[in-house]
Amino acid sequence: MRVLVTAGPTREFIDPVRFISNRSSGKMGYAVARAARDRGHEVVLISGPVAARQPPHGVRLVPVVTAAEMLAAVESNLDWCDALLMSAAVADWRPADLSDRKLKKADRLAELRLEPTADILLTIAPRKGSRTFVGFAAETHNLLSEARRKLDRKGLDAIVANDVSRSDAGFDVETNQVVLVTKDGLAQEWPLMSKAAVAERLVAWVETSRGVTASPGKPVPAGLDGAPADGRLTRQMDFIREIDKLKCVFRRTLLMDGSRYENDAEHSWHLAVMAVLLKEYANEPNLDLEQVIKLVLVHDLVEIDAGDTYCYDVAGHLDKAAREQAAADRIFALLPGDQGAVIRRLWEEFEERETPEARFAAALDRVQPLLHNYFTGGQIWAKHGIGSEQVRERNQHVEDGSRALWNYAESLIREAVKQGFLKP
Ligand code: PMT
C-alpha cells in the first residue's frame, strides 16, 4: 500500500515571529508512519513543525508549516496514495491580516481578526475515489457524537476519536486511548496503549478494510538449520513476536517512582520474581513454583486484544470474560496446536483459581498493584475515588493463596488510610 500520513500542528502567523498553533507533538502521526513502514508499506509523511522533525528511516518526509502548505502537500501526493491517515492537528483559523514586520507594543493591537483555514479533508473529498481516508477527531466533550459528525461531514471511511481531556491520551503524551468509529456506524473502543500500538492497530484496520496483507521487512525465515520443516518454529516465532505487544498494554498502575504507567509485561515479570521470593508464604506447603511462574507469565496475554480492565471498573467487567475469551481464541491459536492448548490451559487455570498454584499466583497479582498504589501515595486510588472497603473487598482472595500476604496487605491498607491517601 502507499500510505500518506499527516502529523503535528500547523502554525498560522500573525507577524514574522508570532503565530497561532496547538499542542500537537507529532508523536501520533510519526507512530502511524513508522507502523505503516514496519508493516511493509511505502510511506510519505507530511509533518508540521515538531520538536524532532527527523523522518523515520525509509519514510519520505514533506515538511510544512501552515495549513495552506499542508493542504498543498496533501493535494500533490493524493494521486499517489491508497490511504490517507490525517492525524495532524491543523489550525482551524489564521489571522486575517499578516504583518510583514514584527508588531510593536506601541502598535496596540486591540483585537486579532481571524479567518478560517481551508479544511483539508473537505477540500480533497471529491478526489477520494477508492482511496481509504481516515481522520482523527480531537475532542474534549461529546466524543462519539462529534467524531461521527466529522466522519459524515468529511466523507471518511473511519475516524479515530481521541478524548484529549485525559492526561494519558491525546496531545504530547506517549500513550493514547481512542475509539475507532467506522462509516458503518461501529465504534471499537481500544484500550490505553502506547501510540505505537494504536498506530499498528490502525494500519492493520486499513489493511483489512482494503483486503491487503502486511509484508513486514523481516519475516521469520522458514526452514532454519535444525528446524522441523513443518512450520512449527515459524508459528512459535510468530507467537513470540505477537506477545511483544504486551509491552504496549498499559495498566492503571503507576511505576513505584510515579514516573509513568506500568505495562502488562512489566507486571507479569514482577509477579514471577515475587513468586520466587515469596513462595514460603503460600498456604500450600508443597507449592509447584515452576507452575506458578508459568501462570503469572501467561495470565495477562489475552489483554493484547482485550486490554487491561481496571479492577474497580464495574462496567468494564460486564463484558471482560467475553472479550478475553475471544482474545484467547485468537492469540493461543497462533501456536502449534499442542503448545497452544498447554498455554491456554495455563491461562484458564489462573482464571479459575482452583489449584493452590493459581490461588497463590492470584494473590501475587493483587498484592503487587497494592504495593504500587501504596508507594505512589494512592494517586490512582484518589483519581478513581476508591475507598478502603473497595480495596479490601477486591483483594480479599489474597487470603486464599497466602494468609501471610493478606495480613501484610491489610497492614498496607490500614497504613494508607492512616496516611490519608486511601479513603477510610
Ligand atoms: O501529535 P500528538 O501530540 O501525538 O497528538 C495527537 C493528536 C491529539 C493531535 C491526534 O491524535 C489527533 O487527534 N489529531 C486530530 C486533531 C484535530 O485537528 O482534530 P479535529 O477534530 O480538529 O479535526 C478532524 C480531522 O479533520 C482531523 O483528521 C484533521 O487532521 C482534519 N482537519 C482539521 C482541520 C482542517 N483545517 N483540515 C483538516 O483536514
Side-chain angles (χ1 to χ4, degrees), residues 243-260:
I243 64 171
D244 192 57
K245 293 179 183 161
L246 202 64
K247 298 171 189 166
C248 295
V249 179
F250 286 88
R251 297 165 51 79
R252 312 282 168 91
T253 316
L254 292 172
L255 295 188
M256 290 193 200
D257 68 1
S259 58
R260 64 164 170 84

Side-chain angles (χ1 to χ4, degrees), residues 275-284 287 360 402 404:
V276 173
L277 299 179
L278 304 178
K279 174 182 182 265
E280 68 199 71
Y281 303 107
N283 292 345
E284 167 62 50
L287 197 76
F360 187 61
S402 167

Side-chain angles (χ1 to χ4, degrees), residues 113-132:
R113 282 193 318 114
L114 299 177
E115 63 185 19
T117 55
D119 189 299
I120 300 175
L121 283 171
L122 268 184
T123 309
I124 60 170
R127 290 175 59 194
K128 179 174 181 302
S130 60
R131 292 178 188 84
T132 303

Side-chain angles (χ1 to χ4, degrees), residues 24-26 28 86-88 120-121 136 150 154 162 172 195:
S24 172
S25 62
M28 189 66 247
M86 243 344 252
S87 95
I120 300 175
L121 283 171
F136 278 65
K150 289 177 183 173
K154 303 191 184 203
N162 209 165
D172 202 14
K195 283 185 173 166

